[in-house]
Amino acid sequence: MFELWMTLVPILIADIVNPVLFAFLVYAAGTDRPVINSCAVLLGHTLAYYLAGIVIALGIEKISDHLSHPQLIDYIIGFVLGVILLRVGYLSWKTETTEQAAETRTMTPLKAIGLGAVVSFMGMPFALPYFAALDQMLKADLTPVTALGVLAAYNVLYALPFVLVPVLIATSGQKSQDILRKINTWLVSISNFLMPILLTLVGLALIVDSLIYFVTGYEMF
């Protein structure tokens, strides 16, 4: 389990650095119910992310069951993910993110939960670190209950940094708007610099792990 989390932690960091969720939380912070709506967006995103992870893992597991070498497919998937991560890491150096001006908006908590879920599902095809994390969990050969627990822990750890948004709103009131916009700008800058590096490192690790397995039959992680 310790070895698994040693692999998951850098993937988790690469997953969190993506500023999309934070940007939508800042959006929710500009509504008429900033604390409730930002919490609702985070809740909707976390639940949708977790459920999507279960569905994706089950899909990969079914593919493995239909092949004669179920362990091999995990490393093939890991190798492909590694190549894609390297490509995305290279392309993301050129990515530019724009920031929209904030304004007061009306939103119900139920709509905020739906918005969080939509953000999660819309971003799922591009959540490559999450796919890499699921691949590592499947290769760890965990029991179903343990796997669900690890996936839940991963999603809770993913959500924790974003709790900063409702906490700031609750403690700083209207002043938090300027603070959140500054944090969002800073996060975008950090993401533009750090994301390509993290994606490249995770991609290289997956490729090396897969190649070692292809050659020796033993996994590195």
Side-chain angles (χ1 to χ4, degrees):
M1 183 65 69
F2 177 77
E3 291 80 4
L4 173 61
W5 278 107
M6 287 293 291
T7 307
L8 290 180
V9 167
I11 297 175
L12 177 63
I13 294 173
D15 209 0
I16 291 174
V17 167
N18 191 327
V20 174
L21 175 57
F22 194 88
F24 276 91
L25 289 174
V26 173
Y27 174 87
T31 63
D32 54 338
R33 302 174 182 176
V35 176
I36 295 176
N37 286 337
S38 58
C39 288
V41 169
L42 183 57
L43 176 63
H45 185 280
T46 302
L47 291 176
Y49 215 39
Y50 180 66
L51 293 176
I54 295 175
V55 172
I56 293 169
L58 289 175
I60 295 176
E61 193 66 30
K62 285 183 179 180
I63 293 174
S64 299
D65 291 340
H66 285 286
L67 297 177
S68 57
H69 300 89
Q71 291 299 319
L72 179 61
I73 188 61
D74 293 330
Y75 287 91
I76 294 175
I77 293 172
F79 182 83
V80 173
L81 283 173
V83 173
I84 295 175
L85 284 170
L86 286 180
R87 177 64 176 169
V88 173
Y90 170 74
L91 293 177
S92 60
W93 284 109
K94 305 176 181 179
T95 300
E96 297 182 359
T97 305
T98 58
E99 185 179 357
Q100 295 181 346
E103 58 181 15
T104 302
R105 292 164 287 266
T106 302
M107 179 185 295
T108 65
L110 186 59
K111 288 183 178 179
I113 292 176
L115 176 62
V118 169
V119 171
S120 177
F121 288 131
M122 291 294 290
M124 190 56 62
F126 310 100
L128 297 178
Y130 197 45
F131 283 90
L134 293 172
D135 177 65
Q136 293 301 310
M137 294 177 200
L138 288 174
K139 287 194 293 189
D141 195 24
L142 305 172
T143 65
V145 174
T146 303
L148 289 174
V150 171
L151 184 60
Y154 180 96
N155 278 271
V156 170
L157 291 173
Y158 178 92
L160 276 180
F162 298 101
V163 177
L164 174 67
V165 175
V167 169
L168 270 177
I169 299 170
T171 57
S172 302
Q174 191 62 32
K175 294 180 180 179
S176 64
Q177 300 296 330
D178 292 334
I179 298 174
L180 289 173
R181 283 194 290 270
K182 290 179 180 179
I183 293 176
N184 191 41
T185 301
W186 174 80
L187 184 60
V188 170
S189 300
I190 292 297
S191 176
N192 289 339
F193 171 76
L194 194 59
M195 180 67 79
I197 297 175
L198 291 173
L199 290 177
T200 300
L201 291 176
V202 172
L204 285 174
L206 290 176
I207 290 174
V208 171
D209 184 32
S210 300
L211 290 176
I212 290 177
Y213 181 82
F214 295 153
V215 174
T216 67
Y218 297 97
E219 64 272 11
M220 180 176 67
F221 300 121

